[in-house]
Amino acid sequence: MKTCSISMRILALVAVIAGTAFAQSPKNSLLISPGDNLHITVLDMPEMEQYARVTDAGDVPVQGVGNVRVVDMSPAEAASAIHDRFLSSHFLNHPQVSVVVDQYATQEVTLIGEIKTPGAYPIATPRPILDVIALGGGLTEFADREILVERHGDQTNPIRYNVSNNAKQAIKEQVLVNPGDTVVVAKAGIVYILGDVNRPGGYTMNNNESKMSLLEALSNAGGAAKTAKLGHARLLRKSDQTETEISLGDIEKGKRPDFAMSPGDILYVPFSYAKNLVISSSAGIASAAGTAAVYASH
């Protein structure tokens, strides 16, 4: 678990280095929201420079032409809207307008779910998701690799991001998290291996694909015990409330294909009294033979 945490921090540090170039992508520009303070300038016209706050209605008051709607626009789109208003109002003929968000109204990102230290963290500009996850101390050992980013003001179209164990892939595919966004990290699925196995318990499906096959799950549990009844194991599937008898021996020998477990699945491996009797008898015979040998030597 420590190795995973260290890897996440390393990825976050690398992401910070790449963050500036990544943040400049127009596709990932942070949209203007009510309450944002904008810095508006017109080339070669210093008298037109102004700082204005976006109203709750989504407009910005622009000198000479009144309110211009800019909510849910990128700074470049807002500059174009103001440019068009200057032209349509015949206030300026060839304005070259620039808009920069001087201060965002929402200056925090919220981390919830399987984060080591969930909560609200201050960010002034869009930041790579690995950087944001590092603010909360990284993911817990129970975290699902599939992370959702809920955009500020848009709860219907969350952004999906998969935290890969491959560093290059994790950095290449990461998304930007904007001030006001919420990062949701769900708990990974758990499968339960019970009965006559060496380490019975629940095991988290927290690999890259958030998947686990039956043999992988059995391996995590240390394998079946010597006294296990391999031919009569039972799989209880939570998703459809079914119970299926399976032969672990056939799957281990390749006679039947391995298959994917589903979150909530329970694999129960029964105890074989016949095997236990044979093993106990063999142990008793071996012990008696050893004792007889000791007495015979004397």
Side-chain angles (χ1 to χ4, degrees):
M1 304 307 171
K2 291 182 179 178
T3 302
C4 180
S5 177
I6 293 171
S7 298
M8 285 301 304
R9 289 174 184 166
I10 292 173
L11 289 177
L13 289 174
V14 177
V16 170
I17 296 173
T20 302
F22 188 77
Q24 292 175 351
S25 171
K27 183 171 120 178
N28 296 289
S29 295
L30 179 59
L31 302 183
I32 295 171
S33 299
D36 290 352
N37 286 317
L38 306 184
H39 181 197
I40 303 171
T41 58
V42 180
L43 185 65
D44 296 330
M45 299 187 68
E47 69 276 10
M48 294 297 296
E49 181 181 14
Q50 69 175 98
Y51 291 86
R53 177 185 174 278
V54 180
T55 67
D56 292 340
D59 302 327
V60 62
V62 179
Q63 181 181 335
V65 294
N67 289 343
V68 178
R69 188 162 186 79
V70 295
V71 71
D72 293 332
M73 294 183 181
S74 68
E77 291 170 337
S80 179
I82 295 171
H83 166 274
D84 293 345
R85 177 63 65 85
F86 279 140
L87 292 181
S88 64
S89 301
H90 304 290
F91 189 82
L92 296 173
N93 290 327
H94 303 288
Q96 296 185 41
V97 182
S98 172
V99 174
V100 175
V101 180
D102 184 60
Q103 184 177 27
Y104 292 101
T106 304
Q107 297 287 318
E108 292 182 336
V109 62
T110 302
L111 305 179
I112 60 177
E114 293 301 318
I115 296 286
K116 289 185 177 178
T117 311
Y121 293 87
I123 61 171
T125 59
R127 297 176 67 173
I129 189 168
L130 294 180
D131 191 4
V132 171
I133 291 173
L135 293 176
L139 305 177
T140 71
E141 60 183 290
F142 303 110
D144 196 327
R145 292 281 170 177
E146 190 81 10
I147 294 177
L148 295 182
V149 180
E150 181 184 287
R151 293 301 190 198
H152 178 57
D154 183 7
Q155 299 179 346
T156 59
N157 299 293
I159 307 299
R160 295 181 180 274
Y161 172 71
N162 187 275
V163 185
S164 174
N165 283 327
N166 183 300
K168 289 184 178 179
Q169 183 177 347
I171 293 173
K172 180 181 178 181
E173 297 180 354
Q174 69 180 322
V175 298
L176 284 179
V177 178
N178 301 326
D181 287 353
T182 299
V183 178
V184 182
V185 183
K187 179 178 286 188
I190 298 177
V191 296
Y192 301 90
I193 312 300
L194 306 177
D196 201 18
V197 294
N198 291 307
R199 290 192 301 271
Y203 294 91
T204 307
M205 305 169 74
N206 59 358
N207 57 15
N208 267 0
E209 295 79 24
S210 297
K211 296 178 180 178
M212 184 181 295
S213 74
L214 180 139
L215 289 182
E216 287 174 333
L218 187 61
S219 175
N220 287 336
K226 293 180 178 179
T227 52
K229 204 171 184 179
L230 299 179
H232 298 280
R234 294 197 301 275
L235 179 68
L236 289 77
R237 181 141 284 173
K238 181 180 179 181
S239 58
D240 56 9
Q241 299 293 317
T242 59
E243 180 175 336
T244 307
E245 185 173 280
I246 57 177
S247 173
L248 292 179
D250 286 348
I251 296 175
E252 288 178 337
K253 294 173 184 176
K255 293 181 179 180
R256 292 182 180 275
D258 191 11
F259 58 87
M261 301 282 280
S262 298
D265 278 0
I266 300 173
L267 176 66
Y268 178 75
V269 184
F271 174 81
S272 171
Y273 289 98
K275 282 188 178 181
N276 182 59
L277 181 61
V278 171
I279 292 172
S280 298
S281 300
S282 299
I285 292 171
S287 176
T291 302
V294 169
Y295 281 109
S297 64
H298 288 79

